[in-house]
Amino acid sequence: MYQCRFRADRPRRQDLADDRAEARFPGQGPDGFVAYAKANPGKVSLGHAGVGSSNYPICRNFVKAAGVDVALVSYRGAGSALNDLMGGQIDGVCDTATSLYGAVESKKVKALAVATPGRLASLPDVPTSKEAGLPAFEAQGWNALFVPKNTPQPIIAKLNEALKTALSSQTLQGRFKELSSVPPTAEEVTPAFVAGFVPGEIERYRLLLQDK
């Protein structure tokens, strides 16, 4: 979840916007944002990249975890949502740290929380959702390799070993950090883990999207 820091190249607009933000979200932190949203149902707007995007369930996850009634604004892409956030047209966006890291670092937007179990190395000052008082708000993107269901086990094992070798390289580890991404644990890089994890994710998001 991110809240607008407002553009710094337009002083008059920034002054007005900062005053408005401070009045609406005291301290401009997670507590102030959620408290205002609860006190003003339907008045806070959160942008996302469209119902079919990964950003949308992040928004839905936040809304459910925070117990708030907000307006979810659909855009044709995350970039458009971010532009409106920086322009003060919406109050926040739901997006990945990878996408928003540059805007956060340049102080064009303010990060309220990351929906990960631990803080990100690239954004050490941003609290986790649990630290921000929203333990139920957890949303992490992930990638996995899949093969046809009848693929022989020796081939799966060979592919898995190649994946582990690639993930252990310093170059790739450094790239994960640059992208504000978290590399998988040793347990997560196993066929058995993925076989149990994926059905759980499908069910979790099925229930989330069913809940109106």
Side-chain angles (χ1 to χ4, degrees), residues 52-139:
S53 71
S54 61
N55 305 41
Y56 180 66
I58 296 175
C59 275
R60 291 288 299 270
N61 198 323
F62 167 75
V63 169
K64 183 176 181 179
V68 293
D69 175 13
V70 302
L72 298 184
V73 185
S74 181
Y75 287 83
R76 291 186 177 181
S80 298
L82 179 58
N83 285 338
D84 270 7
L85 173 61
M86 292 189 290
Q89 305 304 311
I90 56 176
D91 299 309
V93 296
C94 307
D95 205 347
T96 63
T98 299
S99 297
L100 294 173
Y101 173 76
V104 173
E105 278 296 287
S106 62
K107 301 188 184 303
K108 293 180 179 178
V109 301
K110 181 176 182 177
L112 295 186
V114 291
T116 50
R119 295 197 180 197
L120 298 179
S122 58
L123 297 169
D125 296 327
V126 180
T128 65
S129 50
K130 184 176 181 178
E131 292 172 331
L134 296 170
F137 178 39
E138 186 172 326

Side-chain angles (χ1 to χ4, degrees), residues 1-2 14 41 48 100 105-106 125 127 149 151 168-169 184 194:
M1 265 296 304
Y2 295 84
Q14 181 189 10
H48 58 84
L100 294 173
E105 278 296 287
S106 62
D125 296 327
K149 64 178 181 180
T151 300
S168 66
S169 74
V194 174

